[in-house]
């Protein structure tokens, strides 16, 4: 009968259980794992900062090299790569053109635009002194800054920073800078400077424990008599009018104890030696660097005493050279928490995974469109088969139809387990199947009651109307 052949074809064609489902689940899991690993790698990868410092062999370069080694040994979130330069100006130039992330520079130099301070490496003090003259020689008439007019001053350090600072001091002290002759000497010519008897006074800028300053003062005392230290009495006024400078005191015996040099505290001007960074550098990275810097400072000071001078920068918003927001956040205790830092990324991942889930669900729905179509076809064929069952003439035909229906049921249940068929579709299919089974039961009863054909032939079907009666 046609229905039997139809059901046989249906049974052969409906064994299409979707085998892509495990692979889709595996692909989704691998995608999530890949995203998680990528985010973890990105979050925990140490940040590398290039720091420009020079000149070669300077205290700054030695300190930064030691700091880089300490950070690497600690194995924290920051790695420091020193870039050797020939001095502060080149360091700032590299910072300005983006070839360095950090630079070591004096605070009163011209900085690239939008440059912030990260840490104070040390305070540089202005030291001014005049030789009083050897025994038997004429005594020096330079006893204070006001008496420098018409004199010659030897200044250690090349570049414009120290001469400009001296001119500020002279002008604020009432001395016309044009009437003072400034002669500059590099650090390699200090011996030549101390032997130049034409110089009336000397100026150096550096840390109070700088051995070069103490040695230079001792040499001038030996060659030209004990020094007379010149006090910057207008240091407060200078600091008020020039915010990059600070009013400080040099304590007694800062450069020697026997004899005391100086023999009493003197007023002077200080300028900070800084680690600076562009404002565009990541706040989180700068905060991490500042945290690591102050964490290794105590151990670093054991090998490099200069590390003990490292201080936190001024975090006031109206500071002459503002602290970098990242450094200020660490110093003021306002660092962002993990959720503050990464909440945007976390929500982004959640949205991404949600989108991937939606895409996967759509793809799964799309790939199973044939299964849904076959299920609808099975339901329609079972409906058609119900009328054919009522016309069956033998139990063998009913058994064949029942077997085909069982195959359809197995296929439908498998599709439901895979999610290709919804509960509502399965309920509709169950209703049709129940009607089919009832038709089978009714037809079997009719065939069983019908008399056999004369001559041993097949049983004659009983009309449906008769079976109903």
């Amino acid at each position: 009968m046609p229905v039997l052949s139809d059901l046989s074809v249906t049974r052969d064609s409906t064994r299409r259980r979707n085998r892509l489902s495990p692979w889709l689940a595996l692909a989704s899991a691998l995608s999530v794992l890949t995203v998680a690993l990528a985010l973890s790698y990105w979050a925990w990868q140490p940040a590398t900062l290039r720091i420009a410092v020079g000149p070669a062999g300077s205290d700054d370069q030695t300190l930064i090299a030691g700091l880089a080694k300490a950070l690497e040994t600690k194995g924290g979130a920051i790695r420091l790569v020193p870039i050797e330069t020939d001095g502060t100006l080149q360091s700032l130039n590299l910072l300005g053109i983006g070839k360095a992330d950090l630079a070591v520079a004096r605070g009163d130099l011209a900085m690239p635009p939008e440059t912030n301070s990260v840490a104070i490496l040390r305070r540089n003090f202005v030291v001014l002194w005049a030789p009083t003259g050897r025994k038997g020689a004429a005594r020096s008439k330079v006893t204070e800054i006001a008496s420098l007019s018409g004199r010659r001053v030897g200044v250690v350090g090349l570049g414009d920073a120290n001469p400009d600072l001296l001119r500020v001091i002279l002008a604020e002290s009432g001395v016309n800078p044009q009437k003072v002759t400034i002669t500059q000497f590099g650090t390699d010519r200090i011996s030549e400077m101390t032997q130049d008897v034409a110089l009336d006074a000397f100026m150096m800028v550096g840390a109070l424990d700088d051995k070069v300053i103490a040695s230079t003062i001792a040499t001038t005392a030996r060659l030209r008599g004990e020094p007379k230290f010149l006090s910057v009495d207008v240091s407060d006024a200078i600091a008020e009018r020039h915010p990059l400078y600070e009013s400080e005191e040099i304590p007694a015996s800062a450069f020697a104890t026997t004899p005391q040099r100086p023999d009493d505290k003197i007023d002077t001007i200080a300028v900070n030696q800084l680690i600076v960074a562009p404002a565009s550098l990541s706040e989180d990275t700068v905060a991490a660097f500042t945290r690591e810097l102050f964490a290794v400072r105590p151990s670093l000071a054991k090998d490099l005493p200069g590390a003990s001078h490292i201080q936190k920068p001024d975090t006031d918003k109206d500071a002459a050279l503002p602290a970098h927001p990242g450094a200020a956040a660490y110093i003021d205790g306002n660092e962002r928490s993990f959720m503050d830092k990464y909440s945007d990324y976390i929500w982004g991942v959640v949205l991404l995974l949600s989108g991937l889930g939606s895409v996967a669900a759509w793809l799964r729905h799309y790939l199973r469109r044939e299964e849904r179509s076959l299920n609808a076809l099975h339901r329609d064929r079972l409906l058609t088969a119900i009328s054919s069952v009522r016309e069956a003439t033998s139990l063998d035909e009913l058994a064949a139809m029942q077997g085909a229906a069982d195959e359809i049921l197995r296929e439908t249940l498998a599709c439901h387990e895979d999610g290709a068929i919804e509960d509502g579709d399965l309920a509709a299919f169950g209703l049709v199947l129940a009607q089919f089974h009832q038709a089978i039961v009714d037809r079997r009863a009719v065939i069983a009651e019908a008399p056999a054909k004369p001559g041993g032939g097949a049983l004659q079907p009983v009309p449906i109307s008769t079976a109903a009666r």
Side-chain angles (χ1 to χ4, degrees):
M1 299 179 71
V3 172
L4 277 176
S5 61
D6 289 345
L7 289 174
S8 298
V9 171
T10 300
R11 181 179 57 203
D12 293 337
S13 62
T14 56
R15 296 301 299 167
R16 296 186 181 183
R17 186 175 181 177
N18 191 354
R19 301 181 183 276
L20 292 178
S21 298
W23 297 107
L24 285 174
L26 178 61
S28 300
L30 289 177
S31 299
V32 173
L33 180 61
T34 300
V35 172
L37 290 176
L39 290 175
S40 300
Y41 178 82
W42 173 80
W44 295 105
Q45 186 74 2
T48 299
L49 296 176
R50 304 161 297 170
I51 181 167
V53 59
S58 63
D59 292 340
D60 289 341
Q61 189 192 44
T62 302
L63 179 58
I64 293 302
L67 175 61
K69 184 177 180 180
L71 292 179
E72 183 176 3
T73 301
K74 185 175 182 294
I78 297 295
R79 297 292 185 273
L80 206 58
V81 178
I83 300 175
E84 182 181 309
T85 65
D86 58 12
T88 302
L89 294 179
Q90 185 183 9
S91 297
L92 291 176
N93 182 54
L94 292 179
L95 185 73
I97 62 178
K99 291 187 176 181
D101 305 302
L102 304 169
V104 176
R106 233 171 72 170
D108 58 341
L109 295 177
M111 301 284 178
E114 300 297 323
T115 298
N116 296 147
S117 61
V118 176
I120 300 173
L121 284 186
R122 66 175 182 275
R123 291 194 190 279
N124 292 316
F125 291 76
V126 175
V127 184
L128 279 164
W129 75 95
T132 56
R134 300 179 65 180
K135 291 182 180 180
R139 304 292 290 178
S140 172
K141 296 181 180 181
V142 178
T143 57
E144 59 183 5
I145 293 178
S147 58
L148 287 176
S149 181
R151 306 290 181 175
R152 293 184 61 203
V153 179
V155 176
V156 176
L158 303 178
D160 297 330
N162 286 351
D164 288 346
L165 177 51
L166 177 57
R167 293 186 185 100
V168 170
I169 294 174
L170 291 172
E172 295 293 340
S173 301
V175 178
N176 185 352
Q178 301 297 326
K179 294 184 178 182
V180 177
T181 302
I182 298 175
T183 305
Q184 292 181 253
F185 295 86
T187 53
D188 56 341
R189 296 178 57 205
I190 290 179
S191 177
E192 177 184 340
M193 181 188 73
T194 57
Q195 298 177 39
D196 189 346
V197 296
L199 296 175
D200 300 293
F202 306 95
M203 172 182 169
M204 295 185 72
V205 181
L208 291 182
D209 58 356
D210 191 332
K211 294 180 180 179
V212 176
I213 295 179
S215 175
T216 304
I217 292 173
T219 301
T220 55
R222 186 180 70 253
L223 297 177
R224 301 183 58 187
E226 278 299 316
K228 169 63 179 177
F229 290 92
L230 308 180
S231 176
V232 183
D233 298 328
V234 293
S235 58
D236 290 335
I238 293 176
E240 182 70 24
R241 298 177 188 176
H242 305 271
L244 291 174
Y245 301 127
E246 298 180 15
S247 177
E248 289 285 356
E249 288 184 348
I250 298 177
S253 304
F255 306 115
T257 56
T258 307
Q260 283 188 320
R261 294 175 182 150
D263 57 3
D264 195 5
K265 64 181 181 181
I266 58 174
D267 294 326
T268 190
I269 290 295
V271 58
N272 291 327
Q273 190 79 357
L274 303 168
I275 295 178
V276 296
S280 58
L281 188 60
S282 166
E283 290 186 23
D284 293 336
T285 301
V286 174
F289 168 73
T290 308
R291 187 187 318 111
E292 297 288 337
L293 171 62
F294 287 99
V296 302
R297 181 182 62 174
S299 60
L300 187 62
K302 295 178 181 178
D303 299 323
L304 298 170
S308 61
H309 297 309
I310 297 176
Q311 300 178 35
K312 298 172 182 178
D314 185 359
T315 59
D316 290 342
K317 294 184 179 180
D318 58 351
L321 187 63
H324 192 283
Y330 165 74
I331 295 168
D332 296 336
N334 295 327
E335 285 188 271
R336 296 183 298 170
S337 65
F338 179 85
M339 288 303 298
D340 291 335
K341 292 179 183 178
Y342 302 112
S343 60
D344 291 343
Y345 298 103
I346 292 174
W347 284 113
V349 171
V350 171
L351 292 176
L352 176 63
L353 294 179
S354 176
L356 290 176
S358 299
V359 171
W362 176 86
L363 182 62
R364 184 179 181 182
H365 184 81
Y366 176 79
L367 292 176
R368 289 173 174 172
R369 64 192 186 283
E370 293 184 0
E371 295 182 55
R372 293 191 299 276
S373 298
L374 287 174
N375 174 257
L377 180 62
H378 292 333
R379 188 176 63 243
D380 294 342
R381 285 179 173 174
L382 281 177
L383 283 171
T384 303
I386 291 175
S387 60
S388 299
V389 166
R390 292 170 180 159
E391 298 176 0
T393 59
S394 69
L395 296 177
D396 291 339
E397 290 180 22
L398 293 177
M401 291 183 185
Q402 183 67 59
D406 291 342
E407 288 297 321
I408 292 175
L409 176 61
R410 292 191 189 94
E411 190 69 28
T412 300
L413 291 176
C415 291
H416 180 263
E417 290 177 0
D418 286 345
I421 298 176
E422 303 293 336
D423 291 342
D425 295 332
L426 184 64
F429 176 83
L431 180 62
V432 175
L433 185 64
Q435 292 295 322
F436 176 80
H437 284 160
Q438 186 60 46
I440 290 287
V441 170
D442 293 344
R443 191 58 184 166
R444 279 178 178 169
V446 171
I447 292 176
E449 294 176 359
K453 211 183 213 186
L459 293 174
Q460 294 293 330
V462 179
I464 294 178
S465 60
T466 304
R469 290 194 297 269

